[in-house]
């Protein structure tokens, strides 16, 4: 586990002190740092009263310059000033401002609060932590059945919710203030944030593409250090990063995993074509199922209750990358490309929130609301009401704007960011797509521009023409390449008519991968072992349908059962 934790004074310290270094401590609170590699944490003194801890990385600006600028900030309304200052920087970071005289703490993140942060309070105790496991064992809250059911629907929770009654996740446009003397934790809205409804029409697409390529390449080079490793696939996102780093004349190594199910078989084939075109070194890392239980245990150790255990094999991948290249690397991904390039609003013109609710459910659910309610023992109406209320209250005036907000605030913030953060337990992980300037540029573009044919490939061509012309993995099968339109049509039909399990089988046929049934057997074995000892999930309901669930659904069940096992073991 990595990252900063701060909590109120409590006899419960012993439950979270393992593998943590004390940065600061007084009679009211303690500041801890947990790291297992060269994880970036710096401490500096702003003045005689204020200590500032910086966790993460800031790009395009020297650390000495940041220190100088921070020291020039006047103490009047310093929290507002720090919040705005942090928003304007490019990076993945938090500032933890500690006023040791007043016993006050404030926490400010980058423009998207890229690093997941959890907070909560209970019985005059409070905690903020980069690790939900730390927050859980300090507060030991009860599980919310309704929130667990919501997790079963989406693979993630909505708003600031977690499984737990008293633990929350910091949202895109929030920051935290704590009065440690009175054990008072408050969440505040940033003064400076994004207006995603503010879109700009561009007349000259050629000039726009040139600007995009320039901004993106700078984001790549600003993030690069001595050893840069890129997780490569045959898709558009990772090839953009590869092209940007090569254009910026930065050293680069490419890696692609091939999992045991061979679902990423053609990622490797096309990734090598991209690597050859850029003349960079590339390696394939073959993963196995032999460490299935160990890898899931690793995931639960750092992402307990937050990330579905079907991503267990990525811990094996990160471990292999770390063995090959060490932990002192910059690990690049293409995360975020699928959020900044498409028109997330889909040009919706619904006249009711109910229609939007139905669309979001159809395109994003893992378990249906009905099934999630049954297996967790909650009211179907209450679960539907909670999800519908979230969608209705999204901060946008139109259905199109609300769909965009859902994708950014739910899918990106609560799902994508958590997966990316997994990597940071092994090495620093970043993506140029979500850099401050590039994200701002792309999210303010008129959606009509993004709909232009070949808009994405034309962007890549402005960085490297050869890479842009290589086929896209998402629409390829070996030497076969189908059109994007046909692929989208097939995907839309399968979303409408097929069960989750049938969709997995269809995907395995297209990818020439092994049947999902092979993976399902491992999940079912563990679920059968753990299900009888759980006290929350409906054992009979689940047992009757166990062989009919998709691997995605099975992984959600096992995620809860594994987390419950950890919670039960440590409480006993």
């Amino acid at each position: 586990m990595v990252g900063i934790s701060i909590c109120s004074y409590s006899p419960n310290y012993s439950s979270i002190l393992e593998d943590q270094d004390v940065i600061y401590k007084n009679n009211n609170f303690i500041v801890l740092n947990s790291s297992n590699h060269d994880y970036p944490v710096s401490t500096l003194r702003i003045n005689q009263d204020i200590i500032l801890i910086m966790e993460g990385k800031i790009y395009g600006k020297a650390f000495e310059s940041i220190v100088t600028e921070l020291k020039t900030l006047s103490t009047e309304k310093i929290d507002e000033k720090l919040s705005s200052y942090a928003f304007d920087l490019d990076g993945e970071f938090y500032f933890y401002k500690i006023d040791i005289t007043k016993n006050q703490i404030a926490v400010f993140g980058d423009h998207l609060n890229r690093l997941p942060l959890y907070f909560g309070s209970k019985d005059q105790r409070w905690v903020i932590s980069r690790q939900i496991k730390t927050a859980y064992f300090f507060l030991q809250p009860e599980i919310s059945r309704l929130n667990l059911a919501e997790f079963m629907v989406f693979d993630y929770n909505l708003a600031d919710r977690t499984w737990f009654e008293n633990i929350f996740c910091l949202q895109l446009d929030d920051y935290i203030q704590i009065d440690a003397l009175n054990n008072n934790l408050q969440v505040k809205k940033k003064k400076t944030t994004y207006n995603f409804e503010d879109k700009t029409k561009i007349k000259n697409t050629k000039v726009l593409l040139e600007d995009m390529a320039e901004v993106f390449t700078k984001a790549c080079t600003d993030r690069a250090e001595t050893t840069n490793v890129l997780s490569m696939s045959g898709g558009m996102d990772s090839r953009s990063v590869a092209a940007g780093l090569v254009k910026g004349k930065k050293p680069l190594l490419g890696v692609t995993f091939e999992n045991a199910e061979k679902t990423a078989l053609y990622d490797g084939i096309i990734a090598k074509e991209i690597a050859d075109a850029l003349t960079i070194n590339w390696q394939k890392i073959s993963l196995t199922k032999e460490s299935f239980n160990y890898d899931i245990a690793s995931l639960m150790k750092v992402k307990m209750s937050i990330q579905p255990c079907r991503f267990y094999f990525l811990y094996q991948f990160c471990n292999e990358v770390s063995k090959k290249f060490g932990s002192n690397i910059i690990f690049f991904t293409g995360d975020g490309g699928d959020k900044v390039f498409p028109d997330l609003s889909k040009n919706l013109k619904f006249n009711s929130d109910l229609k939007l609710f139905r669309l979001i459910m159809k395109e994003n659910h893992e378990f249906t609301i009905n099934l999630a309610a049954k297996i967790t023992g909650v009211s179907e109406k209450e679960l539907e009401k909670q999800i519908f209320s979230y969608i209705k209250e999204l901060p946008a005036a139109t259905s199109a704007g609300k769909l965009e907000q859902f994708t950014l605030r739910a899918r990106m913030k609560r799902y994508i960011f958590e997966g990316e953060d997994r990597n940071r337990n092994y090495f620093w992980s970043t993506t140029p797509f979500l850099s401050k300037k590039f994200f701002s540029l792309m999210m303010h573009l008129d959606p009509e521009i993004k709909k232009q044919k070949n808009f994405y490939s034309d962007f890549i061509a402005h960085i490297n023409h050869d890479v842009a012309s290589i086929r896209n993995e998402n629409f390829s099968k070996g030497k076969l390449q189908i059109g994007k339109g046909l692929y989208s049509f097939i995907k839309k039909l399968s979303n409408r008519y097929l069960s989750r399990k049938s969709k997995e089988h269809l995907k395995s046929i297209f990818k020439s991968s092994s049947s999902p049934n092979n993976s399902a057997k491992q999940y079912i074995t563990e679920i059968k072992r753990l299900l009888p000892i759980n006290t929350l999930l409906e054992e009979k309901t689940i047992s009757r349908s166990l062989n009919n669930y998709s691997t995605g659904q099975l992984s959600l069940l096992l995620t809860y059962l594994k987390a419950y096992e950890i919670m039960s073991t440590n409480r006993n």
Side-chain angles (χ1 to χ4, degrees), residues 42-55:
S42 303
T43 303
L44 59 105
R45 200 80 179 232
I46 298 295
N47 54 45
Q48 63 179 4
D49 298 320
I50 296 176
I51 297 172
L52 193 72
I53 299 170
M54 191 188 92
E55 174 184 2

Side-chain angles (χ1 to χ4, degrees), residues 151 155 163 261 291-301 303-315 415 422 519 522-524 526-527 530 551-563:
F151 177 84
D155 268 7
W163 291 4
E261 293 82 6
S291 56
F292 176 80
N293 289 323
Y294 174 82
D295 293 334
I296 287 181
S298 298
L299 185 152
M300 287 294 115
K301 183 178 180 182
K303 287 293 177 185
M304 183 187 79
S305 83
I306 287 297
Q307 195 178 30
C309 66
R310 68 162 165 250
F311 299 109
Y312 70 92
F313 59 88
L314 292 175
Y315 279 83
Y415 187 72
R422 166 198 60 237
S519 299
Q522 290 181 296
Y523 288 112
I524 289 172
E526 273 296 281
I527 289 170
L530 294 169
T551 54
Q553 292 168 333
L554 290 170
S555 82
L556 290 174
L557 295 172
L558 186 56
T559 299
Y560 167 74
L561 293 170
K562 282 287 190 180

Side-chain angles (χ1 to χ4, degrees), residues 151-319:
F151 177 84
M152 293 290 176
V153 171
F154 291 107
D155 268 7
Y156 48 87
N157 280 110
L158 305 177
D160 61 357
R161 295 188 280 268
T162 70
W163 291 4
F164 306 110
E165 295 283 3
N166 303 87
I167 299 178
F168 307 91
C169 180
L170 192 66
Q171 295 302 279
L172 289 179
D173 38 22
D174 294 344
Y175 70 94
I176 294 173
Q177 287 181 332
I178 299 170
D179 176 359
L181 280 177
N182 297 300
N183 292 318
N184 182 25
L185 185 156
Q186 292 185 315
V187 178
K188 303 279 189 175
K189 291 294 178 186
K190 296 178 181 178
K191 293 294 184 182
T192 308
T193 187
Y194 285 106
N195 176 9
F196 292 118
E197 292 185 289
D198 180 19
K199 305 296 184 185
T200 304
K201 293 185 181 293
I202 304 291
K203 292 182 179 180
N204 194 326
T205 305
K206 184 176 184 297
V207 172
L208 170 65
L209 291 168
E210 290 172 353
D211 289 345
M212 287 167 54
E214 181 180 346
V215 171
F216 186 82
T217 300
K218 186 176 188 305
C220 290
T221 55
D222 283 349
R223 283 158 168 70
E225 294 185 5
T226 304
T227 305
N228 307 297
V229 180
L230 170 64
S231 178
M232 294 181 68
S233 69
M236 303 291 275
D237 303 333
S238 62
R239 76 176 68 188
S240 301
V241 181
L245 286 165
V246 170
K247 185 174 183 178
K249 296 181 169 51
K250 295 299 181 180
L252 178 62
L253 301 163
V255 291
T256 304
F257 70 81
E258 182 179 287
N259 60 14
E261 293 82 6
K262 308 297 183 185
T263 58
L265 183 64
Y266 295 108
D267 282 37
I269 294 171
I270 303 175
K272 187 176 187 308
E273 293 176 17
I274 295 168
D276 290 343
L278 293 169
T279 62
I280 62 172
N281 290 327
W282 172 85
Q283 294 183 34
K284 180 174 71 174
I285 295 179
S286 297
L287 308 180
T288 70
K289 291 184 182 178
E290 294 174 3
S291 56
F292 176 80
N293 289 323
Y294 174 82
D295 293 334
I296 287 181
S298 298
L299 185 152
M300 287 294 115
K301 183 178 180 182
V302 298
K303 287 293 177 185
M304 183 187 79
S305 83
I306 287 297
Q307 195 178 30
C309 66
R310 68 162 165 250
F311 299 109
Y312 70 92
F313 59 88
L314 292 175
Y315 279 83
Q316 187 183 150
F317 176 53
C318 287
N319 193 40

Side-chain angles (χ1 to χ4, degrees), residues 55-60 86-94 109-115 223 424 428-431 434-437:
E55 174 184 2
K57 286 182 178 286
I58 296 172
Y59 310 109
F87 182 84
D88 289 333
L89 294 172
D90 179 24
E92 303 98 15
F93 64 89
Y94 280 112
D110 56 72
H111 67 121
L112 292 172
N113 287 344
R114 296 268 286 108
L115 307 179
R223 283 158 168 70
R424 298 190 184 104
W428 189 256
S429 184
T430 186
T431 173
L434 300 178
S435 62
K436 177 64 168 67
K437 194 170 181 180

